[in-house]
């Protein structure tokens, strides 16, 4: 079996496992995520409540914002259920990073090449750092790195690589440190209330700090 075939098979298995976990939240009588688990939200991009219902997938209802065109999931899991989902979501991200190390190294290296044009060194925070693949690369370039990862297995994996990683989300971070760079790799598009996270990130950035999305 070729490397590409193995990667495809591994990712397909991860997708199916994640889908199976999500379907456990679905009310079989309605085909939707159970009402007690979810809450409504406005458009995560422009905060409008004017939307058009598009389709249902894996128990979730997707809408298009009439004002800005953003397509988003609504309703969404309440905070406690969402946090539990990510904390117990296994280590599929770590497996992907290791199985396709060359791909991720290229992507992260490109991001760092762009970043150093604006901030060549300093304190860097990676939100949702998984097992720390990007952090290790940034560290090798001279950055002082810190990660946030609420998945305990992946956070432990990152710490085993000698990285400083806290098992909290950005809003729960009690560290008073400021950062030259804050990164959101494959994270920002999954946030329930992105404006709130942007404000929190802004408060943690030093003057002329860089936000990498």
């Amino acid at each position: 079996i070729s490397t590409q075939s193995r990667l495809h098979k591994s990712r397909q298995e991860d997708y199916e496992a994640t889908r199976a976990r999500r379907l456990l939240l679905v009310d079989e009588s309605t085909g939707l995520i159970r009402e007690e688990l979810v809450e409504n939200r406005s458009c995560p991009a422009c905060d409008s409540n004017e939307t058009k219902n598009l389709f249902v997938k894996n128990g979730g209802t997707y809408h298009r914002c009439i004002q800005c065109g953003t397509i988003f999931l609504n309703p969404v899991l309440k905070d406690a259920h969402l946090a539990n989902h990510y904390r117990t979501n296994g280590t599929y991200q770590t497996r992907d990073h290791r199985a396709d190390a060359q791909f991720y190294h290229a992507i992260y290296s490109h991001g760092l090449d762009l970043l150093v044009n604006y901030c060549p060194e300093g304190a860097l925070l990676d939100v949702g750092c998984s097992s720390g693949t990007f952090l290790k690369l940034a560290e090798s370039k001279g950055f002082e790195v810190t990660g946030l990862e609420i998945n305990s297995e992946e956070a432990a994996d990152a710490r085993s690589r000698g990285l400083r990683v806290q098992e909290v989300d950005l809003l729960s971070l009690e560290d008073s440190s400021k950062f030259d760079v804050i990164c959101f790799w494959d994270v920002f598009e999954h946030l329930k209330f992105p404006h709130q996270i942007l404000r929190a990130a802004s408060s943690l950035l030093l003057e002329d700090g860089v936000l990498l999305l």
Side-chain angles (χ1 to χ4, degrees):
I1 302 176
S2 68
T3 299
Q4 186 175 10
S5 295
R6 285 197 300 270
L7 287 171
H8 176 75
K9 184 174 185 294
S10 174
R11 288 176 177 170
Q12 183 65 32
E13 290 172 349
D14 289 337
Y15 170 79
E16 293 297 341
T18 300
R19 180 174 181 274
R21 291 184 69 245
R22 184 179 180 88
L23 290 177
L24 293 175
L25 309 176
V26 172
D27 182 338
E28 293 183 2
S29 67
T30 64
L32 302 174
I33 297 175
R34 299 196 302 274
E35 288 186 6
E36 68 270 20
L37 302 179
V38 296
E39 62 184 353
N40 288 303
R41 64 169 171 172
S42 56
C43 173
C46 73
D47 205 33
S48 172
N49 286 307
E50 296 183 66
T51 66
K52 178 181 179 181
N53 190 323
L54 292 180
F55 59 88
V56 173
K57 180 179 179 181
N58 295 336
T61 304
Y62 290 80
H63 303 255
R64 176 184 284 117
C65 177
I66 293 173
Q67 295 298 319
C68 73
T70 297
I71 296 174
F72 63 100
L73 179 67
N74 191 48
V76 291
L77 288 175
K78 294 177 181 177
D79 288 345
H81 300 298
L82 186 62
N84 182 65
H85 171 77
Y86 283 118
R87 287 194 177 100
T88 60
N89 203 30
T91 58
Y92 74 91
Q93 191 69 49
T94 297
R95 293 197 302 274
D96 281 350
H97 283 172
R98 290 176 178 168
D100 203 1
Q102 185 176 3
F103 169 79
Y104 284 103
H105 186 275
I107 293 294
Y108 291 153
S109 293
H110 179 64
L112 279 170
D113 288 343
L114 293 174
L115 173 61
V116 297
N117 290 321
Y118 302 95
C119 182
E121 60 183 10
L124 180 150
L125 176 68
D126 187 19
V127 180
C129 67
S130 183
S131 59
T133 301
F134 173 72
L135 286 177
K136 290 299 289 185
L137 188 58
E139 186 179 56
S140 74
K141 300 294 186 182
F143 285 94
E144 180 184 346
V145 300
T146 301
L148 303 182
E149 177 53 61
I150 65 173
N151 183 303
S152 58
E153 291 182 82
E154 297 202 332
D157 197 320
R159 287 194 291 268
S160 75
R161 305 171 72 184
L163 294 167
R164 179 173 180 261
V165 173
Q166 300 183 49
E167 290 179 43
V168 296
D169 60 35
L170 188 66
L171 297 178
S172 303
L173 182 63
E174 296 182 352
D175 193 331
S176 59
S177 299
K178 297 282 188 176
F179 299 92
D180 297 284
V181 181
I182 298 179
C183 303
F184 294 85
W185 284 99
D186 194 24
V187 167
F188 196 77
E189 64 271 28
H190 300 288
L191 297 174
K192 186 163 68 171
F193 300 115
H195 292 107
Q196 184 181 27
I197 300 300
L198 278 178
R199 286 192 291 270
S202 177
S203 71
L204 294 172
L205 279 173
L206 291 164
E207 186 175 356
D208 296 324
V210 176
L211 185 67
L212 177 64
L213 300 179

